Amino acid sequence: MRIVVSGGAGFIGSHLTDRLLAEGHRVVVIDNFITGSRNNLSQHEGNDRLVIIEHDISKPIYLAEKVDRIYHLASPASPIDYQKLPIQTLKVGALGTHNMLGIARHHKARILLASTSEVYGDPEVHPQVESYWGNVNPVGPRGCYDEAKRFAEALMVAYRNAHAVDIRIIRIFNTYGPRMRLNDGRVVPAFISQALRGEPLTLFGDGSQTRSFCYVSDLVEGIVAAMERGDQNPINLGNPAEITIRQFAETIRRLAGSTVPLVERPLPQDDPRRRRPDITRARTLLGWEPTTSLEEGLRKTLEWAKEAIR
Ligand code: NAD
Ligand code: UDP
């Protein structure tokens, strides 16, 4: 197939591109490198089944050659990135999604939106099921990201209803692994680089908030399964193993063989208290669930980070 990956030079997008190329597909990555990097795809240099187009998808783009699938991942994703880039984040969720849907409609291609657990905001339902509508503060620091993704989901549904576009919506929960930017501010690269550099691990608040971390290769399996075997309703993708951020810091410190202290820093406004996916739908519809344990995934990520830091 000929497959478009918007945001294909980012963390998840580059792993997805690896996977699609390995399966023999032709891949067109569209990325403006605002939070990603060409280096994430340098392993494919010379592969004529990969085309990289440098373009801001919030501006229209026309692709003449037939497209079969569109994985729409382009968007700043780390809280530091999207708070630095609030307008670009809202534009890519709205205009960027509109432009990708335009390509899908033109080519009768199936399109998958990478949405997020952030559509549930600071959730009052736990674990989060797809039928939950969420608890989002539109004017808080996370509003630009959460509302962009909520709008993007609504636009996908509008194109399905108005133009019969074949849609997929996945809601990705915290995912980690090699190629995260070590300074993107997310908790995995933050703790790993602090531990490896011998700096204190910065716990926001008292570290009692929870997250559930999915290793990137598991997620990529789920993304492809959702595209090929999913239906048109949202599907949570993530690892349901929930852990407090304090326990998570202690785990990383132990695996890194470090003895640095944990220090508390102010908890950012609207930081979700608890997050854990209910993946019943992904299990039953896709036959998918994560298989990489947290320790195994963190060991692989630490190995990669040691090289990246050098
Ligand atoms: P990332 O920042 O590494 O990747 C995003 C990519 O999109 C980057 O390469 C960036 O340059 C590109 N991009 C951003 N705006 C663009 C624009 N206007 N035009 C073209 N390219 C643009 O982030 P990631 O962690 O790989 O996230 C990928 C997707 O998955 C995002 O849509 C994100 O919202 C979603 N997601 C990720 C997680 C996670 O834990 N990593 C969780 C939930 C949702
Ligand atoms: N966090 C932390 N220390 C850091 C970075 C993040 O304690 O240096 C916390 C953050 O407050 C949140 C959790 O770790 O509760 C996950 O943060 P991240 O930015 O990775 O993503 P989020 O799930 O909040 O979008």
Side-chain angles (χ1 to χ4, degrees), residues 10-12 31-32 34-35 56-57 73 145 149 172 175 186:
F11 158 53
I12 297 172
D31 203 298
N32 64 352
I34 194 169
T35 58
D56 175 353
I57 63 153
L73 275 67
Y145 181 67
K149 292 289 188 180
I172 303 172
T175 298
R186 286 187 272 194

Side-chain angles (χ1 to χ4, degrees), residues 6-13 30-37 55-58 72-77 81 88 92 114-117 145 149 172-175 180-181 186:
S6 81
F11 158 53
I12 297 172
I30 312 177
D31 203 298
N32 64 352
F33 309 120
I34 194 169
T35 58
S37 163
H55 180 79
D56 175 353
I57 63 153
S58 298
H72 171 35
L73 275 67
S75 169
D81 286 343
Q88 289 92 331
V92 77
S115 185
T116 167
S117 53
Y145 181 67
K149 292 289 188 180
I172 303 172
F173 284 65
N174 296 66
T175 298
M180 296 188 93
R181 269 183 15 256
R186 286 187 272 194

Side-chain angles (χ1 to χ4, degrees), residues 79 82-83 118 140-146 211 270-272 275:
Y82 62 69
Q83 285 167 37
E118 278 287 320
R142 291 174 177 249
C144 61
Y145 181 67
D146 301 11
R211 293 294 186 273
D270 296 345
D271 198 283
R275 185 184 289 154

Side-chain angles (χ1 to χ4, degrees), residues 24-231:
H25 300 294
R26 290 188 294 151
V27 179
V28 180
V29 163
I30 312 177
D31 203 298
N32 64 352
F33 309 120
I34 194 169
T35 58
S37 163
R38 234 178 234 284
N39 286 342
N40 288 335
L41 297 170
S42 59
Q43 65 280 20
H44 301 298
E45 233 173 84
N47 184 341
D48 59 9
R49 284 188 290 110
L50 173 65
V51 174
I52 302 175
I53 301 175
E54 182 169 356
H55 180 79
D56 175 353
I57 63 153
S58 298
K59 303 194 173 102
I61 175 164
Y62 177 73
L63 298 178
E65 205 183 326
K66 177 92 182 106
V67 172
D68 303 295
R69 298 278 187 270
I70 301 168
Y71 289 90
H72 171 35
L73 275 67
S75 169
S78 103
I80 286 193
D81 286 343
Y82 62 69
Q83 285 167 37
K84 228 186 300 170
L85 302 163
I87 297 170
Q88 289 92 331
T89 302
L90 280 155
K91 283 175 77 173
V92 77
L95 307 177
T97 303
H98 186 223
N99 290 327
M100 291 303 104
L101 280 162
I103 297 176
R105 185 183 177 203
H106 178 80
H107 289 285
K108 298 193 170 22
R110 186 178 295 166
I111 178 169
L112 174 145
L113 168 72
S115 185
T116 167
S117 53
E118 278 287 320
V119 300
Y120 303 121
D122 189 2
E124 287 159 333
V125 168
H126 191 82
Q128 289 78 57
V129 277
E130 290 89 348
S131 54
Y132 176 48
W133 293 354
N135 176 37
V136 169
N137 175 2
V139 294
R142 291 174 177 249
C144 61
Y145 181 67
D146 301 11
E147 298 296 5
K149 292 289 188 180
R150 289 168 68 97
F151 181 91
E153 289 196 10
L155 195 57
M156 295 282 288
V157 171
Y159 265 69
R160 179 196 67 195
N161 293 343
H163 298 309
V165 169
D166 191 11
I167 62 162
R168 301 285 183 270
I169 297 172
I170 54 166
R171 294 182 178 153
I172 303 172
F173 284 65
N174 296 66
T175 298
Y176 69 99
R179 300 188 199 148
M180 296 188 93
R181 269 183 15 256
L182 286 169
N183 61 352
D184 84 0
R186 286 187 272 194
V187 71
V188 178
F191 285 176
I192 282 187
S193 45
Q194 287 162 349
L196 292 178
R197 291 185 173 121
E199 296 163 5
L201 269 51
T202 50
L203 279 184
F204 294 170
D206 61 5
S208 62
Q209 70 273 34
T210 69
R211 293 294 186 273
S212 309
F213 294 96
C214 185
Y215 189 64
V216 65
S217 59
D218 283 336
L219 183 80
V220 165
E221 282 301 314
I223 295 178
V224 174
M227 177 65 106
E228 298 307 329
R229 306 198 294 279
D231 61 17

Side-chain angles (χ1 to χ4, degrees), residues 195 198-201 252-254 256-262:
E199 296 163 5
L201 269 51
I252 289 188
R253 186 171 59 174
R254 174 170 57 78
S258 166
T259 53
V260 291
L262 310 183

